[in-house]
Amino acid sequence: MTTLDSPRAPQSASAATRSGLATQFAEALAPVVGGELPVHLTLWDGSSAGPADAPRVVVRSPRALRRLLRHPGELGAAQAYVTGELDVEGDLDDALTHVWSVAQERGLGGIRPTPAVVAGVVRLARSAGVLGRPLPPPASQAVVRGRLHSLRRDRAAISHHYDLSNDFYQLILDPHLAYSCGYWRSDDPDYTVEDAQRDKFELVGRKLGLREGSRLLDVGCGWGSMSLYAAEHFGAQVTGVTIAAEQKRFIDARIRERGLQDRVEIRLQDYRDVPDTGFDAVVSLEMGEHVGQRNYPTYAKVLHDAVRPGGRVLVQQMSRRGRHPGGGPFIEQFIAPDMHMRPVGDTVALIEESGLEVRDVHALREHYVRTVDAWHDTFEANWDRAVDLVGEEIARVWRLYLVGGSMAFRDGRMGVDQILAVRPGPSGRSDVEPVRPGGWS
């Protein structure tokens, strides 16, 4: 990972600097952070505080602290970081991992500052010129309005992330343009994320029993990677649906380039509006997270109704426990508004309530660490080009997103699973043979 483009914080400081504003804030925040600062902090006035060997955080403007006072914790820090008001020197992953570890060790999630502590911090902030009118959110922060998971609001939420720029996604993702977890079958250095995505498509195709002429519905088809692969390598007749206009334009161009007009149809259509039935198989790769908790039974019922009796459905979906089913304030505000994740067992139950029978659950959490790390490596190698395409603020959003995503899967705060189900036929008949150990590998 490359370092951020920021000047080095001072390696040493005079006695006057050490007793300056940074030290005052460190002392005022000690009850909030459970003791010594977990980082080496340098403020806009040149003062510094905190362990010399800790990750270095540079606060370039009082605006950063104003954001943190307004939105303590993850959201305020993210706002300050993406705007460049706050910087992290060196390896961002190392810094965030260290801070997360200290927070866990000190049990900071349960600490609530007393009114006296809050008053002291506010007095210091006022004397330092930090207080003022609330700052507007960064331009990169999502703004979605309307009834939760209405058709219009869902289109706006998806557009915020997926309609960013096809060129930008091509800069980060593999040539398939697959924006979901790959399936890593080798540790060979020559084995790439492109290989892992190809092997994921092969795995999904075999689980679904695709063959020449199979009718496949791809719900939330992204940039068409699974749809195109199923048509080209399994001979399937594919219908894909997306509500991202940029994605449809991209896939339609690839369909023409590859001469697949007779095998692949992509519709700009919400999953709730799919009228077709009788598909041999249905696939939905990391789209179920976006439908919302209340709408998930509707989503599962659409999958059930679209597939013929005896046909198979495969859902690849992220999972999460805890009080932030949307992924936390940063993800919810900057990346995927209205997303909802749950423990995999709860998703299995919802799928079965639709009438589908779950036959296999395949955990891929560690595979996502490697997938996101590969995207991040490519992103950092193309940093200047990314900034040219989307601007520095959005590029910083993505740097934080990729580093944080890798950490979440690595540390087990999030998972991802392939859930294979079948629509039972008369008398419970199924076209799925019992899975033998290693049968999908």
Side-chain angles (χ1 to χ4, degrees):
M1 186 189 306
T2 61
T3 59
L4 298 182
D5 297 327
S6 59
R8 292 291 297 171
Q11 298 299 307
S12 61
S14 66
T17 300
R18 288 197 301 271
S19 61
L21 196 55
T23 297
Q24 295 176 56
F25 271 106
E27 292 172 350
L29 292 172
V32 180
V33 301
E36 188 176 39
L37 288 177
V39 298
H40 183 87
L41 178 68
T42 299
L43 296 186
W44 60 91
D45 67 342
S47 64
S48 60
D53 59 348
R56 293 178 175 270
V57 173
V58 181
V59 178
R60 302 191 180 283
S61 167
R63 293 166 61 94
L65 297 187
R66 193 184 304 179
R67 293 190 192 279
L68 282 162
L69 287 172
R70 181 77 174 175
H71 301 289
E74 182 179 314
L75 180 57
Q79 289 179 331
Y81 177 79
V82 304
T83 56
E85 298 158 0
L86 178 151
D87 239 333
V88 177
E89 293 194 332
D91 191 293
L92 184 59
D93 193 338
D94 287 348
L96 293 180
T97 298
H98 173 79
V99 171
W100 178 264
S101 176
V102 171
Q104 295 295 101
E105 290 171 4
R106 297 180 183 178
L108 298 185
I111 290 182
R112 294 292 181 268
T114 65
V117 168
V118 173
V121 172
V122 171
R123 281 195 300 271
L124 178 56
R126 181 179 293 112
S127 68
V130 169
L131 297 186
R133 295 173 63 87
L135 295 168
S140 55
Q141 193 166 328
V143 178
V144 291
R145 297 184 176 89
R147 181 171 53 84
L148 184 63
H149 292 297
S150 64
L151 295 177
R152 177 177 295 179
R153 178 164 172 149
D154 275 356
R155 281 194 295 270
I158 291 298
S159 178
H160 170 78
H161 190 58
Y162 293 95
D163 284 345
L164 184 61
S165 162
N166 288 336
D167 289 341
F168 178 74
Y169 282 99
Q170 285 181 282
L171 196 69
I172 299 171
L173 304 179
D174 74 294
H176 296 290
L177 229 60
Y179 190 32
S180 57
C181 180
Y183 182 56
W184 295 77
R185 300 193 64 195
S186 173
D187 292 323
D188 190 309
D190 293 331
Y191 184 90
T192 67
V193 65
E194 180 179 2
D195 299 316
Q197 295 293 2
R198 178 204 62 223
D199 287 342
K200 188 262 300 292
F201 303 141
E202 280 289 329
L203 179 68
V204 169
R206 284 188 282 114
K207 286 183 177 182
L208 289 173
L210 297 181
R211 55 181 59 88
E212 186 71 32
S214 295
R215 291 184 63 223
L216 173 67
L217 174 65
D218 188 353
V219 179
C221 61
W223 286 274
S225 53
M226 184 70 224
S227 293
L228 295 172
Y229 194 93
E232 289 182 303
H233 296 272
F234 288 94
Q237 294 286 336
V238 185
T239 300
V241 296
T242 177
I243 58 173
E246 286 295 310
Q247 289 182 337
K248 174 174 165 52
R249 278 192 285 270
F250 179 89
I251 309 166
D252 286 344
R254 281 201 163 177
I255 290 171
R256 291 191 295 271
E257 290 168 4
R258 301 181 187 186
L260 295 172
Q261 295 94 326
D262 62 335
R263 285 189 178 271
V264 183
E265 176 195 7
I266 302 299
R267 302 175 186 166
L268 193 63
Q269 185 174 58
D270 189 273
Y271 71 94
R272 287 163 285 196
D273 295 331
V274 175
D276 314 57
T277 59
F279 288 96
D280 298 300
V282 177
V283 64
S284 190
L285 301 180
E286 295 178 31
M287 185 271 192
E289 301 89 339
H290 297 287
V291 305
Q293 179 70 352
R294 183 172 297 180
N295 281 354
Y296 203 88
T298 299
Y299 166 74
K301 190 68 164 56
V302 167
L303 305 184
H304 169 277
D305 292 351
V307 74
R308 63 172 173 78
R312 307 179 195 181
V313 174
L314 186 138
V315 173
Q316 181 169 304
Q317 191 166 309
M318 292 180 283
S319 62
R320 184 181 175 94
R321 294 183 178 274
R323 62 190 182 93
H324 290 297
F330 168 67
I331 294 292
E332 294 163 23
Q333 293 289 318
F334 285 87
I335 302 298
D338 302 338
M339 184 164 67
H340 188 101
M341 296 172 283
R342 66 187 70 78
V344 62
D346 293 354
T347 296
V348 167
L350 288 167
I351 289 172
E352 292 205 317
E353 286 171 10
S354 76
L356 293 168
E357 178 189 9
V358 171
R359 302 300 301 265
D360 184 67
V361 178
H362 187 173
L364 297 173
R365 177 171 65 85
E366 292 83 0
H367 295 255
Y368 227 153
V369 179
R370 295 184 66 180
T371 302
V372 176
D373 285 350
W375 293 340
H376 184 230
D377 288 344
T378 305
F379 172 76
E380 293 292 350
N382 292 281
W383 170 261
D384 291 341
R385 175 63 176 148
V387 172
D388 288 342
L389 285 170
V390 298
E392 185 167 359
E393 182 177 311
I394 292 178
R396 290 172 74 89
V397 168
W398 270 78
R399 177 179 270 160
L400 189 57
Y401 167 48
L402 293 171
V403 170
S406 176
M407 287 175 58
F409 289 108
R410 180 195 67 202
D411 299 342
R413 297 192 299 277
M414 287 177 59
V416 64
D417 306 272
Q418 285 186 356
I419 304 169
L420 178 65
V422 63
R423 178 176 175 176
S427 303
R429 181 184 60 79
S430 166
D431 290 351
V432 179
E433 295 295 327
V435 180
R436 299 174 179 83
W440 300 128
S441 62

